[in-house]
Amino acid sequence: YFSKYAFRIDPKNVWYGQQYAEVLQRNSRFKESSEVLSRMVADHPDEEDYYHQLAESYVYAGEGEEAIKTYDRLEERFGIDEETSMNKSRIYQQLKKPEKAIQEMERLIGSDSTNVQAYALLAELYQSIGNNDKALESFRKIESIDPENAYIHLSLADFYRTAGDKEKSFAQLKLAFRN
């Protein structure tokens, strides 16, 4: 009650806006929280955190497409970053749009070709749509960037096991355990 009226009296006061949006979120009123945060983004377009909070509010409200649009606006203003790209990719997966999730990871990799986590997610995305050749290519890229990464050897072991190649799977497990 008090947060709502404080925000109505002075909507440009960031403290009132943040408090009101947080209270709304705690009460699972995500649509209303999104409206407050939209106003905050409009009033304070250089505050990167407001974009993230707004996108998160949209996700909780079940409005994935709006969350993507918010992240797109964030990227237009501040550039591509890992957190935003990962979040967009997860949302695309929830929206059953694996091709868009793949494109998002490829964009991130285009901005940072040494991002092992992006390659790992890309490999998993390719596996989920049955493109094992591209998945293997992504795993191999991780291996070339960080050959001591135990995660990649475990992932490759799982990949080969799923593909029915027990010998290669076991070899990758040995490398992982040796690490």
Side-chain angles (χ1 to χ4, degrees):
Y1 173 82
F2 294 113
S3 295
K4 178 179 182 176
Y5 284 101
F7 183 70
R8 280 189 180 170
I9 291 168
D10 188 2
K12 297 230 187 253
N13 184 314
V14 295
W15 302 110
Y16 294 165
Q18 286 178 339
Q19 175 68 27
Y20 186 38
E22 186 177 322
V23 168
L24 289 168
Q25 287 178 344
R26 285 186 184 173
N27 288 289
S28 300
R29 294 168 58 186
F30 301 110
K31 180 89 170 144
E32 292 169 78
S33 174
S34 299
E35 292 167 6
V36 172
L37 291 165
S38 286
R39 184 160 186 176
M40 291 179 68
V41 165
D43 290 344
H44 308 281
D46 292 328
E47 288 295 327
E48 195 172 338
D49 285 341
Y50 297 159
Y51 292 88
H52 285 287
Q53 291 171 17
L54 176 58
E56 185 178 301
S57 191
Y58 279 134
V59 168
Y60 287 128
E63 298 181 31
E65 293 292 343
E66 289 302 316
I68 295 290
K69 289 176 187 175
T70 301
Y71 281 130
D72 287 343
R73 289 175 36 216
L74 174 69
E75 286 180 334
E76 286 172 15
R77 191 152 192 94
F78 300 101
I80 295 172
D81 71 77
E82 182 176 357
E83 180 184 0
T84 302
S85 293
M86 293 288 186
N87 288 339
K88 285 173 67 175
S89 181
R90 284 187 198 101
I91 294 166
Y92 280 130
Q93 289 174 61
Q94 290 171 351
L95 295 172
K96 308 278 191 253
K97 296 182 178 183
E99 298 81 19
K100 291 278 198 179
I102 288 169
Q103 287 174 354
E104 196 56 45
M105 284 301 93
E106 289 173 342
R107 282 184 60 231
L108 177 58
I109 289 167
S111 72
D112 179 7
S113 62
T114 62
N115 189 324
V116 172
Q117 196 173 6
Y119 278 109
L121 185 54
L122 183 61
E124 290 173 16
L125 288 166
Y126 279 130
Q127 276 186 295
S128 74
I129 63 169
N131 192 337
N132 290 336
D133 292 337
K134 287 282 198 176
L136 184 59
E137 185 181 311
S138 297
F139 284 133
R140 291 290 178 212
K141 186 64 179 176
I142 296 170
E143 198 174 33
S144 72
I145 294 169
D146 187 8
E148 298 301 315
N149 186 329
Y151 168 78
I152 186 56
H153 296 298
L154 288 172
S155 296
L156 278 168
D158 187 48
F159 175 81
Y160 287 127
R161 181 187 52 77
T162 303
D165 193 336
K166 291 180 183 179
E167 191 174 305
K168 285 183 180 179
S169 177
F170 187 70
Q172 289 296 325
L173 278 174
K174 284 171 53 175
L175 288 172
F177 284 117
R178 200 176 323 162
N179 186 313

